[in-house]
Amino acid sequence: MDVHPQLLRALRAVLETGSLTAASERLGFTQSALSKQIGTLEAAAGVQLLRRGPRGVEPTEAGHRLAARAASILDQYDAAQRELDDLAAPLGGRVALGGFPTTAMRLVPRAIARVRAEHPSVAIDFQESSTPVQIRRLRAGRLDLALLSSGEGLPEWDLTGVEVEPLPSGPLLLAVARQHRLARASEPVPVTELAGEDWIAGRGARGEPQFGAWPTLARPRVVAELADWSTRLGFVAAGIGVTTVPALAAGALPEGVVSLEVDDPEWTGRRLLLARIGALGGPANAVRAALAKEARAVAERGSGPR
């Protein structure tokens, strides 16, 4: 099957977003143009890849299998482009860094600013995505460094061949509106106090872990699932519900939202990991050192009532 990479990107976008409308908005095409791309891909493959279901577009088994292959193929295309770009970069000072969304609130911007101040010739390309996507990109050579999340409530990631080092991240926190009954708590909030709360949860692509209800609650009442962090925190600020945030993001909370620690003996926590494959060059080591320094600083400032 000989097809243009854009057709594979179209299929991936539909599977990740769950609809032709959302996929067309992500890729910048009209819905009719995207439908034609899918039709062209189906003609080349000789099988139906998508079907309309009660909740939108659903992939067939063939669609699932081709999309899985497409992810690897597209990663290789992007890795090849990176290598060509690096040839033209002065001093080879370009570093590809990946991080999940909450690392982009404070940790990554501060680290990038530090590197720019200390090593002006080092350029950082930051890619925001979920942990499983980053592991795939790291293996494909699209990333030099990746910030991953691991621990309780998350899958056991396959890190075979991946070198990881833990970075300070602070505890998982509860985010509530400033007028919430718990907002003025001076001590960690007992987890039993959270049983009757309404929760604002994250929503992402299929299989991507999200922050939301407190992990050890048996039957949390989720009143909204929202994709964007600013929207989620806006709902919290309005008093519609509460949510969880990592300490890494606590210093970037909007006006009207405060973060609190939770006393939960059953919660063993999560870890922030910096991952790489193989030896790092000078520019990547500079980024690694900046991330370690800023992680310590952000974790120290990120916990406690705000």
Side-chain angles (χ1 to χ4, degrees):
M1 186 173 63
D2 185 11
V3 299
H4 193 281
Q6 176 53 42
L7 303 184
L8 300 179
R9 290 192 176 93
L11 178 63
R12 289 288 303 172
V14 173
L15 264 66
E16 289 174 355
T17 62
S19 76
L20 289 170
T21 301
S24 63
E25 291 176 354
R26 173 187 289 190
L27 297 175
F29 293 101
T30 64
Q31 186 171 334
S32 61
L34 185 65
S35 296
K36 289 180 181 178
Q37 291 177 14
I38 296 297
T40 301
L41 183 59
E42 287 181 324
V47 293
Q48 184 181 5
L49 301 175
L50 300 173
R51 57 173 174 265
R52 293 192 177 276
R55 301 184 64 182
V57 178
E58 297 288 340
T60 63
E61 179 61 26
H64 270 302
R65 295 194 180 194
L66 181 56
R69 292 287 186 183
S72 300
I73 293 168
L74 294 172
D75 282 342
Q76 291 300 320
Y77 269 107
D78 291 341
Q81 186 62 59
R82 272 198 64 223
E83 291 182 3
L84 295 177
D85 291 342
D86 286 345
L87 291 176
L91 304 177
R94 187 169 295 277
V95 179
L97 169 67
F100 51 94
T102 47
T103 64
M105 290 183 174
R106 294 185 75 202
L107 173 59
V108 169
R110 288 171 179 266
I112 291 176
R114 179 183 286 272
V115 171
R116 283 184 174 181
E118 297 177 355
H119 307 281
S121 63
V122 175
I124 301 174
D125 297 326
F126 177 63
Q127 300 179 36
E128 180 184 305
S129 59
S130 66
T131 289
V133 172
Q134 288 188 79
I135 295 172
R136 190 188 77 219
R137 289 175 175 173
L138 194 65
R139 287 204 167 97
R142 290 180 59 187
L143 294 176
D144 299 303
L145 294 165
L147 291 161
L148 315 178
S149 180
S150 72
E152 187 171 337
L154 296 176
E156 290 289 334
W157 311 122
D158 179 9
L159 296 176
T160 304
V162 178
E163 297 179 62
V164 297
E165 60 178 299
L167 296 181
S169 60
L172 184 65
L173 302 174
L174 174 71
V176 303
R178 193 170 294 277
Q179 69 271 21
H180 191 277
R181 63 185 180 87
L182 298 175
R184 297 184 181 278
S186 58
E187 299 291 335
V189 176
V191 69
T192 53
E193 289 282 330
L194 308 183
E197 294 293 333
D198 292 334
W199 293 90
I200 310 297
R203 185 183 69 224
R206 292 181 179 92
E208 292 186 357
Q210 297 290 324
F211 288 94
W214 190 260
T216 62
L217 292 181
R219 289 181 294 276
R221 186 169 61 244
V222 177
V223 297
E225 292 184 354
L226 304 166
D228 187 75
W229 265 107
S230 61
T231 308
R232 275 181 256 173
L233 294 173
F235 272 52
V236 172
I240 296 172
V242 302
T243 194
T244 55
V245 295
L248 288 173
L253 296 180
E255 184 69 25
V257 177
V258 297
S259 60
L260 306 164
E261 291 195 40
V262 176
D263 181 9
D264 184 359
E266 296 183 11
W267 172 243
T268 58
R270 292 178 182 171
R271 295 192 302 160
L272 174 65
L273 304 175
L274 182 59
R276 67 183 187 276
I277 294 178
L280 297 178
N285 266 318
V287 176
R288 171 180 169 271
L291 286 167
K293 290 178 182 177
E294 291 301 331
R296 285 193 296 271
V298 172
E300 288 170 0
R301 291 192 298 262
S303 61
R306 288 181 174 272

